[in-house]
């Protein structure tokens, strides 16, 4: 029985993808032949295996020599021997209908006449071995072959790799196959540590493509001992510019999806210095790649402190944002990254580049319409988080409102699509932040925001429950929640305001964020209750006002109105929550009217709130 490499690969792939047919193979005595319980056609020795599955798999994956079919000892083996024809695979002979099913699947997955298969294991293993040869020519050839085999897009030039023809689906399979090859990462490390700059650049090119949408490869690459350190060394300005570019490409691809990897890269020793030198490089691609890595990393909370503490926004991104010669797309990326890191602050580097805030709104609109802006098709998920962060700051809020952000956001929430993911909820939360500015509230009402929000709450187009809750909050805020007023004629007798009897007639209201030391807030509430003082906390309520259920701004207002004291637990998370802001605003109105007293409790030692209001 003789199989070509391609036929053997077909059988293997088909067996892996069609469990029902694989069961058919296992259930017949033909497996006995390949499990070592009979002679091979042509008189060869039996395959050695510990199980039927392994024996069958190994036999199929091993192309066999042609020759006379003799020596088969099992009944099935003798029957096969008598019917053998040259260069006919076992699968073709045994069940032609299965082959036709497989070919149909291949056409469906890759178009008419397409081939969705990667190359043979033997080819992958040989490429990996060539990388370890120590011969520069072999190393360069192997790196070029690997890059061709794993490229996610059509390679610009064909590379002869034993006749394998590139397809996107085949390259995807190849990426997984290479990632499982023993010694691959060690071979990469050895080449990167040589003085062969051509080999370094070519290997980095292959590595960047190996990591495309393959989390397994990315994590193994970044965690392999010494490999990230060697890559970081290639970023230094003393290396040839081509090497620097390719090394940045590796980090760019690896940093685009996995939070753990973003933390590993940003926390690596000396990476902060490379970020700065990369953003200030004379080479446009190096600057673009460096900014892109920072942008991707800045969207992950665990990676962000490494960037902020190293002052990356000020030292690396601000010069890019304010550059008159930098290409617009790179300036936009730098602004998005800065917004993720310091957009919520009242005074930040973003105040030095007000024109870039308008670009962010333009990019958001482009992402919504799924069109290109500055030559790039931006993702909605990539721009909504920075825009939300910007809307927290009172300073940035005013600028966003003036440049038409409200209209773009209303269009986004009105045209909901399931593909938006959490961008829909973020857009609603951004609108909620903007309502604290009277101009934004007026714009929303004039642009029919209430009807849009009512539709989100009442209709079922697939919006998340969180989106519906935020829409309900927005309706409250637009229909009176932002105009809570205390009649001027109301007066309060505070003569007994400090007595326990007075406290029992009202309650103490706790206003806090769940994200900052919530346990401490709960413990304090319990301590006060043990002293006979009634405390309202959202999850428990008080004797006077029930607990919050879902999204009920009316209950929040009632809790504040029944409070003699409002304890405000101030933190960054409190500042970032529109719910907390609304509670704080209403409490301040009642305090100015003499109806309540606010007690501020600082939850973070290194945070001092700043606001223009």
């Amino acid at each position: 029985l003789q199989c070509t490499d391609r036929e053997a690969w077909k059988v293997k792939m088909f067996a892996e993808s069609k469990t029902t047919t694989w069961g058919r193979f296992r259930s017949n005595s033909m497996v006995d032949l390949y499990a070592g319980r009979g002679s091979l056609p042509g008189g060869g020795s039996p395959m050695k295996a510990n199980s039927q599955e392994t024996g069958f798999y190994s036999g199929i994956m091993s192309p066999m020599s042609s020759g006379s079919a003799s020596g088969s000892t099992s009944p099935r083996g003798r029957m096969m021997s008598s019917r053998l024809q040259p260069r006919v695979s076992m699968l073709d002979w045994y069940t032609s209908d299965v082959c036709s099913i497989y070919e149909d699947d291949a056409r469906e997955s890759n178009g008419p006449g397409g081939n969705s298969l990667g190359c043979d294991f033997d080819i992958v293993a040989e490429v990996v071995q060539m990388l370890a040869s120590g011969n520069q020519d072999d190393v360069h050839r192997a790196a070029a072959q690997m890059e061709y085999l794993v490229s996610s897009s059509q390679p610009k030039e064909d590379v002869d790799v034993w006749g394998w023809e590139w397809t996107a689906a085949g390259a995807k399979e190849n990426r997984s196959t290479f990632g499982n090859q023993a010694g691959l990462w060690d071979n990469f490390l050895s080449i990167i540590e040589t003085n062969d700059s051509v080999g370094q650049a070519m290997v980095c090119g292959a590595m960047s493509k190996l990591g495309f949408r393959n989390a397994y490869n990315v994590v193994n690459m970044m965690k392999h001992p010494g490999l990230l350190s060697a890559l970081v060394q290639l970023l230094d300005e003393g290396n040839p510019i081509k090497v620097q570019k390719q090394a940045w490409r590796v980090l760019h691809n690896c940093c685009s999806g996995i939070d753990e990897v973003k933390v590993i890269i940003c926390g690596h020793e000396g990476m902060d210095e490379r970020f700065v030198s990369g953003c200030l490089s004379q080479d446009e691609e190096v600057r673009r790649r460096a900014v892109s890595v920072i942008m991707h990393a800045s969207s992950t909370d665990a990676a962000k402190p490494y960037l902020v503490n190293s002052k990356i926004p000020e030292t690396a991104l601000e010069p890019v944002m304010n550059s008159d010669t930098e290409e617009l797309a790179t300036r936009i990326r730098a602004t998005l990254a800065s917004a993720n890191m310091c957009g919520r602050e009242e005074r930040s580097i973003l105040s030095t580049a007000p024109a870039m805030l308008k670009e962010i709104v333009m990019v958001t609109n482009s992402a919504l319409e799924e069109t290109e802006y500055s030559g790039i098709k931006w993702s909605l998920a990539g721009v909504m988080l920075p825009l939300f962060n910007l809307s927290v700051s009172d300073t940035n809020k005013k600028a966003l409102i003036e440049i038409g952000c409200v209209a773009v956001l209303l269009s986004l929430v009105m045209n909901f699509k399931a593909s938006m993911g959490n961008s829909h909820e973020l857009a609603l939360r951004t609108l909620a932040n903007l309502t604290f500015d009277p101009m934004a509230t007026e714009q929303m009402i004039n642009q029919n925001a209430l009807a849009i929000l009512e539709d989100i709450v009442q209709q079922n187009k697939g919006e998340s429950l969180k989106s519906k809750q935020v829409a309900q909050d927005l309706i409250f805020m637009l229909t009176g929640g932002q105009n809570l007023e205390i009649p001027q004629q109301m007066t309060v007798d505070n003569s007994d305001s400090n007595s326990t009897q007075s406290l029992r007639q009202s309650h103490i209201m706790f206003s806090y964020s769940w994200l900052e030391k919530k346990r401490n807030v709960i413990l304090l509430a319990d301590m006060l209750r043990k002293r006979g003082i009634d405390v309202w906390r959202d999850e428990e309520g008080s004797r006077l006002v029930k607990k919050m259920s879902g999204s009920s701004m009316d209950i929040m207002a009632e809790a504040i109105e029944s409070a003699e004291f409002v304890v405000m637990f101030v933190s960054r998370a409190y500042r970032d929550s529109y719910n907390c802001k609304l509670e704080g605003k209403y409490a301040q109105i009642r305090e100015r009217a003499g109806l309540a007293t606010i007690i501020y409790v600082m939850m973070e030692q290194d945070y001092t709130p700043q606001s223009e209001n």
Side-chain angles (χ1 to χ4, degrees):
L1 180 64
Q2 179 177 353
C3 297
T4 63
D5 288 350
R6 173 55 58 193
E7 288 166 340
W9 181 261
K10 282 184 180 180
V11 177
K12 178 261 175 186
M13 290 304 298
F14 183 79
E16 286 188 346
S17 63
K18 296 291 184 184
T19 55
T20 55
T21 308
W22 176 237
R24 288 168 57 188
F25 287 142
R26 292 175 58 192
S27 65
N28 63 72
S29 59
M30 182 167 58
V31 176
D32 293 347
L33 175 65
Y34 284 87
R37 288 184 284 275
S39 299
L40 294 176
S45 301
M47 302 295 293
K48 297 191 180 298
N50 296 323
S51 66
Q52 289 185 348
E53 293 91 335
T54 307
F56 174 66
Y57 183 85
S58 301
I60 290 299
M61 285 305 295
S62 299
M64 304 173 192
S65 302
S66 60
S68 60
S70 62
S72 299
T73 58
S74 71
R76 175 66 67 179
R78 285 193 294 272
M79 185 174 75
M80 289 176 66
S81 300
S82 66
R83 302 183 59 176
L84 283 174
Q85 298 294 329
R87 303 194 65 79
V88 177
S89 73
M90 180 189 70
L91 186 56
D92 290 325
W93 172 83
Y94 184 69
T95 171
S96 59
D97 61 320
V98 172
C99 253
S100 63
I101 293 172
Y102 176 78
E103 295 297 344
D104 287 342
D105 287 348
R107 283 191 290 272
E108 288 174 6
S109 64
N110 209 48
N115 179 6
S116 65
L117 299 176
C119 64
D120 293 354
F121 279 116
D122 290 345
I123 294 176
V124 171
E126 184 164 343
V127 170
V128 174
Q129 289 175 3
M130 286 175 62
L131 288 173
S133 67
N135 181 286
Q136 280 194 2
D137 291 338
D138 285 344
V139 168
H140 297 174
R141 182 165 58 254
Q145 289 174 342
M146 182 183 295
E147 185 169 356
Y148 176 79
L149 291 170
V150 302
S151 179
S152 59
S153 57
Q154 177 74 52
K156 295 179 180 179
E157 298 180 1
D158 287 336
V159 177
D160 183 18
V161 189
W162 289 277
W164 185 80
E165 295 183 5
W166 181 92
T167 65
K172 180 180 179 181
E173 291 177 8
N174 290 342
R175 289 194 287 275
S176 296
T177 306
F178 270 107
N180 285 297
Q181 282 289 311
L184 175 67
W185 311 115
D186 283 326
N187 293 348
F188 282 154
L189 179 59
S190 297
I191 296 167
I192 290 174
E193 289 180 335
T194 66
N195 294 322
D196 176 15
S197 61
V198 175
Q200 290 171 335
M202 295 183 73
V203 162
C204 285
M207 289 174 65
S208 67
K209 292 177 171 59
L210 268 174
F212 181 77
R213 295 184 180 177
N214 191 306
Y216 178 83
N217 287 351
V218 168
V219 172
N220 284 333
M221 192 187 305
M222 292 295 102
K223 286 188 172 182
H224 188 79
L227 190 51
L228 178 56
S229 295
L231 276 171
V232 171
Q233 295 290 332
L234 297 185
L235 303 176
D236 290 340
E237 293 178 315
N239 292 306
I241 196 64
K242 186 173 183 179
V243 172
Q244 294 180 50
K245 289 180 181 180
Q246 294 289 10
W248 277 112
R249 286 179 184 176
V250 176
L251 296 183
H252 185 187
N253 278 354
C254 290
C255 203
S256 61
I258 306 171
D259 288 351
E260 179 187 13
V261 171
K262 297 175 185 179
V263 174
I264 292 173
I265 292 175
C266 292
H268 190 78
E269 184 178 0
M271 198 61 222
D272 53 345
E273 298 173 4
R274 272 73 176 195
F275 279 139
V276 175
S277 62
C279 289
L280 300 181
S281 171
Q282 296 298 312
D283 185 83
E284 184 276 328
E285 182 179 346
V286 169
R287 294 195 304 273
R288 170 163 48 86
R289 298 283 182 182
V291 170
S292 295
V293 173
I294 297 170
M295 180 186 72
H296 289 306
S298 68
S299 65
T300 298
D301 288 339
K304 199 182 302 182
Y306 292 106
L307 301 170
V308 174
N309 294 337
S310 300
K311 298 189 179 301
I312 296 302
E314 296 84 356
T315 57
L317 298 179
E318 187 173 11
V320 176
M321 284 194 302
N322 292 324
S323 173
D324 294 331
T325 59
E326 186 62 76
E327 66 173 19
L328 180 58
T330 302
R331 296 178 66 197
I332 290 173
R333 291 187 183 97
T335 308
L336 292 171
S338 298
N340 280 336
M341 288 183 279
C342 55
R344 303 183 184 192
E345 305 297 333
E346 289 302 329
R347 299 176 182 86
S348 70
I349 64 169
L350 291 164
S351 60
T352 67
M356 294 310 298
L357 298 186
K358 184 174 182 179
E359 296 296 339
I360 299 302
V361 175
M362 298 292 288
V363 166
T364 305
N365 188 61
S366 174
L368 174 62
E369 296 177 350
E370 298 181 348
T371 59
E372 288 189 356
Y373 187 80
S374 188
I376 294 175
K377 198 169 183 179
W378 303 85
S379 73
L380 196 57
V383 298
M384 267 315 308
L385 178 60
L387 187 58
F388 168 78
N389 289 330
L390 289 168
S391 71
V392 172
S393 159
D394 291 335
T395 303
N396 296 332
K397 191 179 296 161
K398 293 181 182 299
L400 293 174
I401 295 167
E402 292 173 356
I403 57 182
C405 186
V406 169
V408 172
L409 291 171
L410 287 176
S411 177
L412 193 160
V413 300
M414 180 173 58
N415 296 290
F416 170 79
K417 297 178 184 177
S419 60
M420 288 181 177
N422 72 337
S423 295
H424 190 254
E425 180 194 342
L426 272 177
L428 288 164
R429 291 186 177 277
T430 305
L431 284 169
N433 282 336
L434 296 180
T435 58
F436 289 93
D437 190 291
M439 184 187 300
T441 302
E442 181 181 356
Q443 288 182 12
M444 291 181 205
I445 292 173
N446 291 339
Q447 296 178 38
N448 208 25
L450 288 173
I452 295 171
L453 297 169
E454 290 284 0
D455 185 63
I456 293 172
V457 173
Q458 296 175 5
Q459 302 298 319
N460 188 14
K461 300 177 182 178
E463 299 94 335
S464 68
L465 179 59
K466 288 184 177 180
S467 288
K468 290 180 177 292
Q469 290 175 345
V470 180
Q472 286 180 324
D473 293 345
L474 268 165
I475 292 171
F476 174 86
M477 297 165 79
L478 293 174
T479 56
Q482 285 289 54
N483 297 311
L484 297 169
E485 296 292 343
I486 306 299
Q488 294 297 318
Q489 64 270 26
M490 288 186 63
T491 58
V492 178
D493 180 7
N494 289 322
S495 59
D496 195 28
S497 62
N498 293 322
S499 68
T500 302
Q501 180 66 27
S502 174
L503 290 175
R504 286 176 179 171
Q505 292 173 353
S506 58
H507 64 210
I508 292 179
M509 189 266 193
F510 276 14
S511 178
Y512 69 104
S513 167
W514 284 17
L515 301 179
E516 187 62 43
K517 300 182 178 68
K518 178 181 176 182
R519 177 174 171 77
N520 292 359
V521 175
I522 295 173
L523 289 174
L524 182 56
D526 290 342
M527 290 172 59
L528 291 174
R529 290 193 187 102
K530 289 178 181 178
R531 297 191 179 194
I533 299 172
D534 194 15
V535 176
W536 185 92
R537 191 176 66 82
D538 55 353
E539 292 181 301
E540 299 168 320
S542 68
R543 292 193 294 266
L544 299 176
V545 181
K546 65 181 181 179
K547 66 180 181 180
M548 293 279 281
S549 177
S551 177
S552 179
M553 289 294 192
D554 291 332
I555 295 177
M556 177 274 293
E558 185 181 355
I560 293 177
E561 289 166 1
S562 301
E564 183 166 355
F565 290 91
V566 176
V567 182
M568 206 177 291
F569 296 87
V570 183
S571 65
R572 291 181 177 88
Y574 189 97
R575 171 203 64 187
D576 298 343
S577 167
Y578 71 85
N579 302 82
C580 294
K581 282 184 176 179
L582 188 58
E583 292 172 6
K585 179 172 182 176
Y586 192 25
Q588 289 173 346
I589 291 173
R590 291 187 63 81
E591 184 179 52
R592 285 195 294 267
L595 298 173
T597 299
I598 298 176
I599 299 175
Y600 297 95
V601 178
M602 305 306 295
M603 303 294 282
E604 298 175 275
Q605 291 185 353
D606 63 342
Y607 173 62
T608 302
Q610 296 176 343
S611 176
E612 293 186 356
N613 294 336

